[in-house]
Every structure is written in C-alpha cells, then in structure tokens.
Amino acid sequence: MRGYRIGILGRIELSVDGIAVPLAPLERAFVASLAAHRGRIVSVDRLIDGLWPNHPPARARNRVQAIVASLRRSAAPELILTRSPGYQLNAAVVVDAAEFAADVQAAAAATDARCAVELLDQALARWRDDAFVDVGAELVDFERDRLRELREHAVELRVEALLSLGLHQELVPELTTLVRDRPLRERLRGQLMVALHRSGRQAEALAVYRAGARVLAEEHGIDPGPELRQLHREILGSEQQTSPRAWVRPNQLPGVTGDFVGREKELGVLLSLLGRTPAAAGAAQVVVVTGLSGTGKTTLALRAAHESRHRFPAGCLYADLRGNTTDPARPDTVLGAFLRALGVAGEAIPVAAEERAALYRSVLADQPMLVMLDSAADAAQVRPLLPPAGSTALITSTATLPGLPGTEVLPLDVLPVDDGLDLLAGLAGAERISREAAAAADVVELCGRLPLALRIAGVRLAEREAMTVARLRDRLRDERRRLDELSLDGLDVRSSFTVGFERLPPPAARLLAVLSRTSLRSFGMWDETTEPLLEQLCRAHLLTADSDGRARMHDLVRLHARERTDIAADQVIAWYARLHAYAERADAALPCKILPVADVESAIDAWDAVDWFEAERESLVAAVRDLLGLDAVDLAGRLACTMGNFAMMRSQHLPEFVDCLRGVLDRHADLPLPTRVSLRLHLGTAYRMLNRHAEAVPLLRAAHRDSRGPLVAHRLVALQGYSLCCRQLGRLREADAALLLMVRLCAAHWPVGPVGGHVLLTLGMQHGQYQLTSPFAFAACAAARQHFEDSGDLWGEALARETIGLLHRHAGQWPQALEQLRQAVAAARRLGDRMSVTTAEQALAATHLAAGNGEAARLLLRRTVLAFHDMRHEWGEAISRRLLGKAHLEEGDADRAVVELEGSVAMLRGVGQPFPLANSLHLLARAQATLGRHDRAVALGEEALRIFEHFDAAYVNDLRESLARWRSAAGAQ
C-alpha cells in the first residue's frame, strides 16, 4: 500500500506519498470524521448527522457516496474501506494524532528524564494549531476535547521532567506564561510554585498560590485542591522554619578516575535507575551494583553518581563501608559522620544507633539526597543507612544483598576484550599496546578481563618502559606466579578475594575448592546437594551466575582457591561420580535409545534431559579429560558413554563425541572389560553414523566378541551395527551372518529392553532390501515403531516412519509413503537434529520424484544439498545430488543432470560405498546416452553392472539391456 498520512493537529491535511491532496470542505469534514474514529466503523447515518447537523440534503446517502468516490479518485481506492453499516479508515493510514499519543505514552513510561523531554518536545512539535481547527463537524468534538486534554497533559509532563533535571530557574518564565494562559490548571500552578521555591523565591511562590486561590474562589466558588494546598503548606513551613542546625549541602563523592573506559550500556542502565521513581509509596530508591571483586563497581557507580548530581538538589553523601575487608565499617559510626556532614552539631547526635538512624531519616525528610554506600558487606550493615522516601541509595557490593527487598540490582561482569585493551592503552600508552597488539590481547585474557587486574598490569607496564608487553604476558602465563604479578602498591587481586573466601560457610568453601581443581568452564545446578552451595557462591560473587542458570568461575578466583585450599584428588573424583550418576539418569530419560542405557530409575523429563545434555556437553567432555588426568579411567569411560544417545540424536556433536571416546580408549589397558566393551560399542556406532564404516567394523566386532554374560543389549547393538556396516561396504555374507546371529540372540533373550526396537527395525530394513514389497519387512518395521512409541524413543520412531515410508514407496503406495515420511520429518524436527531432518526430507523428496511430482522433489532437494554441504556430510550430499540429477533427467534436461550426477559419483568414490555409487553411475550413464555420448554411457554402465552383480541387485537385467543398446549405438557412431 502507498504511504497515506492524515493531519488533524491543526488544519486537516491528506497526503499520498508525501504529495498533498486538495480537499473540498465536505471531503475535509468526512476525512476528519473517519480520522477521529480511527480503527472504528462510522455508520452512514452518523456521517449524515455530523456533516449536515441541522438540515440534511435530499438523498443524503447518495451525497456521502459521492464524497467517498471523489476521495477514492483523488487519493486511492484503498484509503477508505466500505464496512457495513458505513465506512472505515484503512488501518495503514498514518494519523499525526496517533503519533502524538504514542510519543506521550513513551515519555510517560521513560525512566530517563532527558529521554522523556526529547519525546515530549517531539510530540508537541506535531501540533500546527488547535486540533480540527478548520472543521466544525460534531463528530469530531469528542476527539477534539480528548486531544486538547492530552496536549495539556504532555505540557505538564514535560515541565515535570525538566524540573527533575534541576532546570527550575530556566522554567520560571515559561511556566509564568503557561499559568497566565491556563489559570485553572492546578498542576501547572504547582509546578510554577516549585520552580520559584527551588530558585529561592519563596515569597513569589506563595503569591502564585494566592492568585490561583482567588481565581478559583471568584469564578467557581471553590478552594484549591488538596495537592496544591499541601504544597503551599510545605513552602510556607520552609519559609517560617528556624532550625537549630545550619543546613549544609554536602557533596562527598570522590573523584572519578580519568581512565574510565567502556561500560556504556551499564552506565546507561544505572543512570536510568537513578532517575526512576520507586514503585512503592514512601520508599526510597535503592540501587545495588554487584559483581566480582575488581570488576570496577565503585568506578562505575561514582561515574553515574556524578552524572546524576543534578537530580539531587540536597546533595550527595558517600561512605566506604569496607565490606571487603576484615574490618567493615559500623553503621552507627557512618551515621554519625553523615549527621555531622548534614550540619548536626556533635552534641546533638544521639549515642544509640537506632536514635541516630531516626534522626538521619528526619534530617533527610523531603530533601532529595543521593547516598552512596560503597563496598557493603551485607544487608544488615546497609539497612540503618538507607535514606527516607525522596532520596536514593546507591550501593556497591560483592554480595547481592538479598535481605534488602525492593532493590534494583545491576550485575557487573568483566570487561569485553576491546575495552580491556583500551584500559591497558590508557595506562601504558596507546602506541605501545598497538605495537604489540597480539601480546596485549593475551594479557587482557590472562587478567581475566578483570578491571583491577588490568589496571595493575597497565601500571606495571607504565612504570617499566623497558618491559615489553610480550614479557609481561609470559610472566602471567605461569599460573603459580600470576597472582604475585597482579599485586602492586596497595592494588592486589589476591586480597580482593580473601574476605569473600573467609566468609564462606565450610560446605560452600569445600565445593569451591573442588571446583577450582576442575577444568570445567561452567557449572550446572543439577544436583540437590550442589545447587544450594552454587547459589551461595554466586551470591558471594566467587562464581558468576549466567542468564541460562549456569555458574562460571573466574580464572583468577580459580587460582586463588587453589592457593588457599588443599583438596585430595578423591574429593574431586567423588564430585565427578555424582555428576556421572545424574548423567546416567538423564541418559535413561532421553528420547533416543539406540545405545544401551543403565538400568536406573529416572524421574527426569525427556526434553529436560535433552536440554541438560546440551547445556552440560562441554563440561562432560572436560570432566572426562580431568578424570583421565586423575587416573580415574573407568569413571571417565562410563561418563563418556552417557553422552552416546544424545550425540546420536544431535549428530552435530558426533565428531566431538568421537574424540572424547578415543581419548579414553587410548587407556584401554586400564579399563575393566564392561567399560571397554561399552566404549568400543559407542565409538563403532558413532563411526557408523558418520559413514566411517571401515573404521566402525573392527570396533563393533570386538564389542560383540567381548560382551559375554549379561551384556545382551551390547551384543545386539554390536551385531546390528556390524551387519549395517558390512552391507554398506559390500560384504554381504558377513552382513547376513551378523543379522542371523542378531535374530537368534534376540529370540533367546526377548524382551531385550529399549534397544529391541532398533533390532526389529534393522531386521525389517535388511529384509526389505531383498524383497521390496515384503509383508514381513512391513510387519517388523511396524512392530519396531510400536516399540519405540511405548519406550518413548522418538528418534527411533522417526527412523521407523522413514523406513516404512520407503517400503510403501517401493510398493508404489504413494499416499501412504508420503504420509509416513512427512511424519518422520515432523518427528525429526521435534528432536532438533538437523541431520535427521535433512535425511528424512531427502527420503520425502525421493518419494515425490518416484510419484511423478518433480517440482516438490526439486524444492526439497535444493535444500537438502545445501544442508548436507553445510554439515560436511558428503554421503548425504552425494545422494541428494543424484536425486536432483534424476529429476533433471526425467524433465529432459540431460545437461544439468550430468553436472549433478558427476558431482554425486565423485563424492561417492571418496566415501567408499559401492552400492550408492552404482546407482549414481547407472543414472549418469543414462544421462550421457541421452546426450548421444554412448561410449561414455557404456563405460559407466559396465562399472555399475559389476557392482550390481556383486550385490545381486534387482536392477541387473534392466542395466544389461540398456548396455546392449548403448554398445550398438556406440558402434554405429
């Protein structure tokens, strides 16, 4: 739709794509009426009454229709919509009054007074005159009055915002004019009184009140409202008050360091919070900046406090509460200092802490004051120092201070790398840092991007001009001396952590000591014992809580924890054993059970288990490495195996899973037999899923050989995988022999647990390859699907539906095939595995192609080719390119078919799977023959025939006939 705009804040204007449309008087009134009822239908009867209120013309309805027709011709048909019983303005039309109202609403919700003023200036600038100034239609009267009142409200909001910015003196002339023109607007009159009072002109403020009271009494016989009377009493009281103390406007804020860098977002949030009005009446605004020691909380808070001084005309108090030392400040001592700063004589300050707090609140009553409490220890220390309503407390602390309800908390993390480099450059010199940029980036990371550590490193470089950045980096790389390097002239990273450690309860301190010995980058709250302790450590900011519910440890905290504690390796292994126990329960709950799982009770939801493995994946891999380093090889192997089913259903993690398993199997001599069997089974299955069949076969053979006794499920999965791999490699006798062994073992031990569905599915798949329309294959796959549904194996169910769909396709049952494959795609999508989705979509595309729907097939195949390519899955990409080539060939485009099929053949040669290669060779031969290149067709066809004959494939006779024709044609050429 084109750009339509209607202006009603002044004379009525209509424009299309920025070009004004001239309007006749009745057209102007009609447009104004619809705009005044924007979003609603205006009936024809109401339009007639509004356009001709006294004497409607004969055939008035026809006149309305003529107006609509004229407007549609001059503007566009879609401007005015016909909606029974009348007309409605198109919702896409922009009306300036709606923009004005949106600006006012945004300003009212804004927490930053400057932003509110900008929005209100923008809103008020939209007014060109009074609303509907050139329209007298009664239909717009209500909207005219509403907009007039909203405009007055915007003016008052703007004045209020400017007053909060301390611009009272500048506002006096403007407010004087506003009050003169609007003598009955009590809010404006009160704002003028406030501006005069804050400018030291109390007598004039009282005179403004008396003038307003006189107008109300003479013209309306009423008194001013309660809010204006209360304001009058407050100003009168301040004029007559004789205080025994001399009021002092304190400004105790320390200066801000000149090398403040970054933190633009955090500074903006903090400034906004400092300008916000508390939600609860009678409450002070309390803002807490919290974070790990050394993150620059004080520097940021001071910067925000200095920029917000104009909001607090009564002044700013500051106290260092020394909460991060062994000698925190006493609240009564701080109260005494505050009272003296506020002008209370020493002899008038009470002795009792409660009385001091009461006097402190009384002195600050009705005095907007900023009180900064730096480095608070806990809520008990802070609570007596909180100011009364109207003032704001700005607190910094390494604790989150949960005992202070109603606070606004700003968590502070470490610096981004670029800001860390800027901090180093500001201290050590920009040219020096730029010259050794790579080494400087390493220093930033070795300092953990902690501002305190970076400041120490920068000062070290500044003091020692001969030291290169690379030299400092090398010194910091030694973990044994890193904290020693980060100590200089009263600045010390180690001591900044010490008090936090000493205040920890023993269980939390022991857990921190254990975690510091691990290489895990983050920790999940998965264990009932661990979770409350991790929460304690997060509240103490010795760990950092992330938005995803995990906790991470800063590298320097890790080093300090190792220094202060002596933990036996057995305690670390015991913690990992609890992790393994939970991982076993999560594995048993997963919606994929292709690999055997532990026989454990699990109350975990299937999708919660998926989310847990996704969140803990990196930690589990790191835990396996740690356990190998602690010589806990068996636990490392068992923990690695818990990730198997998850890696199968989220196949993008398979390469990482393979590396993890191989790392454990490198220590196979240290493994007990059951764990070694499980590891080989998991690694062989992972190789099979990655189409690395030749590498999978010896592992699966060894897993079957060694899995005697109770490991029936392991033997079944090993035989299943071995049979599938051998078939892909063209070793058909071995494949069939393994299949037969699997069937006998399954029959002897049925039921065999969750893996039983995969055994049935493999049996049906393999049987279906010999007899494409076999009822037995259908029955086996249907039984597998039922088994998967009963056991909650959604991954297996998707695979079963895909296989059943392919069997229906072989039988020419297109509707059933397409339905099963669509369900397979849907199930794979629910699993969230791109590989499973793409494989199922490829099967669906092949079915569309076989059913004669080439367009649907091509759409899917273009997507699957790109997806397999992105995933570096050559086998999948090769099959999709073969199918795409077949689609082009069947459409008569042999040239494009050759391009795709040659690519497919080249990929499959590299993959080493003969049967899929023969299929691509066969199709490429057909495409070359279509182009008249019969000699090439013969060579390709003969190669394909040799492979088909080896597999005793059903395509042999057809291919022999084709080869006879191609040889004849080649001889004729």
Side-chain angles (χ1 to χ4, degrees):
M1 182 178 170
R2 297 157 71 187
Y4 295 104
R5 185 177 184 85
I6 294 176
I8 61 178
L9 301 179
R11 297 177 64 83
I12 303 302
E13 296 178 348
L14 170 63
S15 63
V16 180
D17 294 334
I19 301 173
V21 176
L23 298 173
L26 281 175
E27 292 174 340
R28 193 162 55 242
F30 182 90
V31 169
S33 299
L34 291 189
H37 295 79
R38 184 171 179 266
R40 290 171 288 168
I41 299 170
V42 185
S43 69
V44 174
D45 291 338
R46 290 195 65 198
L47 286 166
I48 291 172
D49 291 341
L51 294 172
W52 301 283
N54 298 319
H55 303 289
R59 306 183 70 181
R61 286 181 173 272
N62 291 343
R63 292 287 300 277
V64 171
Q65 291 173 357
I67 293 170
V68 172
S70 174
L71 285 167
R72 285 173 171 169
R73 282 194 304 272
S74 58
E78 65 265 27
L79 173 66
I80 298 169
L81 307 177
T82 302
R83 296 284 186 269
S84 179
Y87 299 96
Q88 183 180 7
L89 201 62
N90 194 311
V93 176
V94 177
V95 180
D96 60 354
E99 294 178 319
F100 164 71
D103 287 341
V104 175
Q105 184 178 6
T111 56
D112 188 330
R114 291 187 184 89
C115 177
V117 170
E118 291 176 3
L119 286 167
L120 291 166
D121 284 341
Q122 175 178 286
L124 293 167
R126 298 185 188 278
W127 287 74
R128 295 167 281 110
D129 205 328
D130 292 337
F132 304 104
V133 69
D134 55 346
V135 172
E138 294 180 0
L139 274 176
V140 304
D141 284 348
F142 178 81
E143 181 68 359
R144 191 197 325 265
D145 293 341
R146 188 188 73 86
L147 290 172
R148 182 188 299 117
E149 180 57 31
L150 187 58
R151 185 183 190 182
E152 297 296 336
H153 177 61
V155 170
E156 292 167 354
L157 279 179
R158 176 179 175 275
V159 170
E160 184 174 312
L162 290 169
L163 283 172
S164 73
L165 293 172
L167 302 174
H168 35 271
Q169 292 184 1
E170 293 85 348
L171 276 170
V172 169
E174 180 181 350
L175 278 169
T176 301
T177 302
L178 289 170
V179 171
R180 183 193 64 207
D181 295 340
R182 302 162 176 81
L184 302 181
R185 302 287 298 191
E186 290 195 12
R187 188 178 182 187
L188 278 175
R189 188 173 294 276
Q191 289 171 334
L192 175 56
M193 292 167 62
V194 169
L196 289 167
H197 174 57
R198 290 183 181 176
S199 301
R201 298 160 67 177
Q202 284 84 352
E204 293 173 77
L206 295 171
V208 169
Y209 173 81
R210 290 192 295 272
R214 186 167 54 252
V215 169
L216 290 171
E218 292 175 353
E219 296 187 11
H220 301 281
I222 59 175
D223 292 329
E227 292 184 3
L228 196 62
R229 294 201 304 272
Q230 175 62 27
L231 179 61
H232 174 250
R233 285 194 295 270
E234 291 175 0
I235 295 174
L236 191 63
S238 67
E239 185 184 49
Q240 296 174 348
Q241 179 185 22
T242 56
S243 174
R245 63 182 178 85
W247 175 258
V248 177
R249 184 179 184 277
N251 181 22
Q252 297 184 331
L253 296 175
V256 182
T257 58
D259 52 14
F260 183 88
V261 298
R263 302 292 195 200
E264 289 84 1
K265 178 181 177 182
E266 293 90 343
L267 180 60
V269 171
L270 190 51
L271 290 172
S272 174
L273 292 174
L274 292 177
R276 185 177 297 176
T277 303
Q285 177 76 349
V286 180
V287 181
V288 179
V289 181
T290 184
L292 177 69
S293 291
T295 48
K297 301 180 294 296
T298 298
T299 303
L300 176 67
L302 282 172
R303 177 70 176 268
H306 279 285
E307 292 196 20
S308 300
R309 281 180 54 193
H310 62 276
R311 300 182 189 275
F312 304 99
C316 304
L317 294 171
Y318 173 87
D320 180 1
L321 300 186
R322 304 193 304 275
N324 206 28
T325 70
T326 56
D327 181 29
R330 292 165 52 92
D332 58 339
T333 303
V334 176
L335 284 168
F338 278 173
L339 289 169
R340 284 189 291 274
L342 293 168
V344 178
E347 62 274 12
I349 296 175
V351 175
E354 294 81 1
E355 294 180 7
R356 287 187 177 190
L359 178 59
Y360 165 69
R361 292 191 294 271
S362 298
V363 171
L364 290 186
D366 303 322
Q367 301 290 341
M369 179 79 70
L370 175 64
V371 180
M372 180 169 170
L373 304 173
D374 194 16
S375 189
D378 51 35
Q381 183 190 35
V382 166
R383 199 172 289 112
L385 305 176
L386 295 179
S391 292
T392 296
L394 174 57
I395 306 167
T396 70
S397 178
T398 55
T400 53
L401 307 182
L404 292 180
T407 60
E408 298 282 359
V409 179
L410 176 64
L412 209 58
D413 206 345
V414 295
L415 288 172
V417 173
D418 289 344
D419 289 345
L421 289 170
D422 289 342
L423 180 55
L424 274 182
L427 293 163
E431 182 181 349
R432 188 175 180 187
I433 297 302
S434 177
R435 189 168 56 246
E436 296 185 79
D442 291 340
V443 168
V444 171
E445 292 295 350
L446 289 166
C447 290
R449 294 182 280 138
L450 191 71
L452 174 60
L454 287 167
R455 191 175 301 280
I456 295 170
V459 172
R460 275 195 176 281
L461 289 171
E463 288 184 344
R464 300 179 60 181
E465 294 185 4
M467 176 185 282
T468 63
V469 180
R471 174 60 181 153
L472 177 61
R473 175 199 60 196
D474 294 341
R475 292 167 69 98
L476 291 171
R477 278 178 172 166
D478 185 350
E479 291 188 350
R480 295 168 301 178
R481 58 184 294 179
R482 188 180 305 169
L483 291 175
D484 293 329
E485 293 291 335
L486 296 176
S487 177
L488 182 69
D489 294 339
L491 295 175
D492 184 21
V493 170
R494 182 185 282 109
S495 63
S496 71
F497 298 147
T498 298
V499 173
F501 274 89
E502 291 175 347
R503 289 179 180 160
L504 284 177
R510 282 194 296 272
L511 178 61
L512 186 65
V514 168
L515 298 182
S516 72
R517 263 67 178 187
T518 73
S519 63
L520 275 60
R521 298 176 62 86
S522 64
F523 314 97
M525 299 187 183
W526 41 265
D527 177 80
E528 292 180 357
T529 303
T530 304
E531 183 172 354
L533 300 179
L534 288 175
E535 289 175 348
Q536 286 183 22
L537 293 171
C538 288
R539 286 196 296 271
H541 280 284
L542 292 167
L543 296 181
T544 301
D546 288 336
S547 58
D548 59 1
R550 300 181 63 76
R552 53 188 164 83
M553 185 183 298
H554 194 277
D555 287 344
L556 299 180
V557 173
R558 190 185 301 271
L559 294 178
H560 189 43
R562 290 176 182 175
E563 279 187 353
R564 293 181 57 86
T565 56
D566 185 15
I567 292 292
D570 289 348
Q571 291 180 265
V572 180
I573 294 171
W575 188 78
Y576 277 138
R578 293 203 302 273
L579 175 63
H580 168 257
Y582 191 92
E584 275 193 331
R585 297 198 297 275
D587 181 28
L590 285 171
C592 172
K593 297 178 173 62
I594 187 173
L595 289 162
V597 298
D599 185 15
V600 294
E601 289 290 331
S602 179
I604 304 172
D605 175 78
W607 297 107
D608 288 343
V610 174
D611 292 342
W612 185 83
F613 272 109
E614 194 68 70
E616 296 290 342
R617 177 179 52 82
E618 290 185 4
S619 294
L620 291 169
V621 173
V624 169
R625 288 195 300 267
D626 285 352
L627 287 167
L628 291 174
L630 294 168
D631 290 330
V633 183
D634 178 42
L635 182 57
R638 288 184 285 120
L639 182 60
C641 289
T642 63
M643 295 183 274
N645 285 307
F646 171 74
M648 299 303 150
M649 65 173 288
R650 291 286 169 87
S651 54
Q652 67 268 28
H653 301 314
L654 278 172
E656 178 185 55
F657 180 55
V658 164
D659 291 341
C660 180
L661 294 171
R662 290 177 60 181
V664 183
L665 277 171
D666 285 343
R667 303 276 297 273
H668 63 89
D670 300 325
L671 289 165
L673 183 63
T675 306
R676 188 163 65 243
V677 167
S678 290
L679 285 163
R680 285 172 172 164
L681 179 65
H682 281 68
L683 184 56
T685 305
Y687 278 147
R688 178 172 69 82
M689 298 298 293
L690 290 168
N691 291 294
R692 295 165 62 175
H693 299 100
E695 296 169 88
V697 163
L699 288 162
L700 294 170
R701 185 194 299 119
H704 171 255
R705 181 192 64 224
D706 295 336
S707 55
R708 304 303 179 194
L711 300 177
V712 175
H714 292 70
R715 271 184 284 165
L716 283 170
V717 175
L719 287 167
Q720 171 208 10
Y722 187 80
S723 176
L724 291 170
C725 288
C726 286
R727 185 164 299 279
Q728 291 292 337
L729 294 169
R731 294 155 59 173
L732 302 185
R733 290 185 179 178
E734 291 179 73
D736 289 344
L739 189 67
L740 182 59
L741 281 174
M742 182 187 76
V743 171
R744 290 174 176 170
L745 182 65
C746 193
H749 294 87
W750 190 267
V752 293
V755 302
H758 292 279
V759 171
L760 290 170
L761 184 60
T762 300
L763 184 61
M765 290 168 57
Q766 301 285 58
H767 199 83
Q769 290 187 359
Y770 286 102
Q771 299 181 32
L772 299 181
T773 59
S774 164
F776 177 82
F778 273 104
C781 291
R785 184 186 65 190
Q786 187 61 53
H787 193 286
F788 293 138
E789 291 176 357
D790 293 343
S791 63
D793 189 343
L794 182 61
W795 190 83
E797 181 188 341
L799 194 58
R801 290 190 180 279
E802 182 181 332
T803 306
I804 294 170
L806 295 177
L807 291 174
H808 280 301
R809 186 181 80 195
H810 293 320
Q813 299 166 344
W814 311 123
Q816 298 94 320
L818 292 170
E819 177 60 24
Q820 289 293 328
L821 289 167
R822 289 191 185 103
Q823 290 185 28
V825 171
R829 288 193 195 283
R830 291 200 300 276
L831 287 166
D833 179 32
R834 190 183 184 192
M835 181 66 72
S836 298
V837 171
T838 308
T839 303
E841 285 187 334
Q842 179 178 264
L844 181 60
T847 305
H848 277 304
L849 187 59
N853 190 349
E855 182 178 358
R858 285 195 311 277
L859 286 173
L860 282 169
L861 290 169
R862 291 191 188 102
R863 188 160 69 211
T864 59
V865 166
L866 292 174
F868 280 127
H869 184 78
D870 287 345
M871 292 183 284
R872 301 175 184 268
H873 194 280
E874 287 194 347
W875 183 86
E877 184 180 355
I879 302 303
S880 285
R881 293 191 67 179
R882 177 218 294 161
L883 291 169
L884 196 53
K886 182 179 180 182
H888 290 315
L889 185 60
E890 292 181 356
E891 289 170 359
D893 192 347
D895 287 311
R896 293 179 69 183
V898 166
V899 172
E900 297 297 340
L901 292 166
E902 285 182 340
S904 175
V905 166
M907 287 181 173
L908 289 169
R909 289 192 194 281
V911 171
Q913 294 190 18
F915 195 82
L917 173 62
N919 281 321
S920 293
L921 287 166
H922 186 188
L923 279 171
L924 181 56
R926 284 176 51 194
Q928 296 286 16
T930 302
L931 293 171
R933 304 165 183 164
H934 296 98
D935 52 344
R936 298 186 192 178
V938 169
L940 293 164
E942 287 176 345
E943 184 180 357
L945 181 62
R946 287 192 295 272
I947 300 172
F948 283 149
E949 287 174 339
H950 175 76
F951 281 91
D952 195 19
Y955 318 119
V956 169
N957 291 332
D958 290 342
L959 181 53
R960 284 174 179 157
E961 292 176 5
S962 298
L963 275 169
R965 292 195 304 272
W966 297 338
R967 289 189 185 106
S968 176
Q973 289 177 337

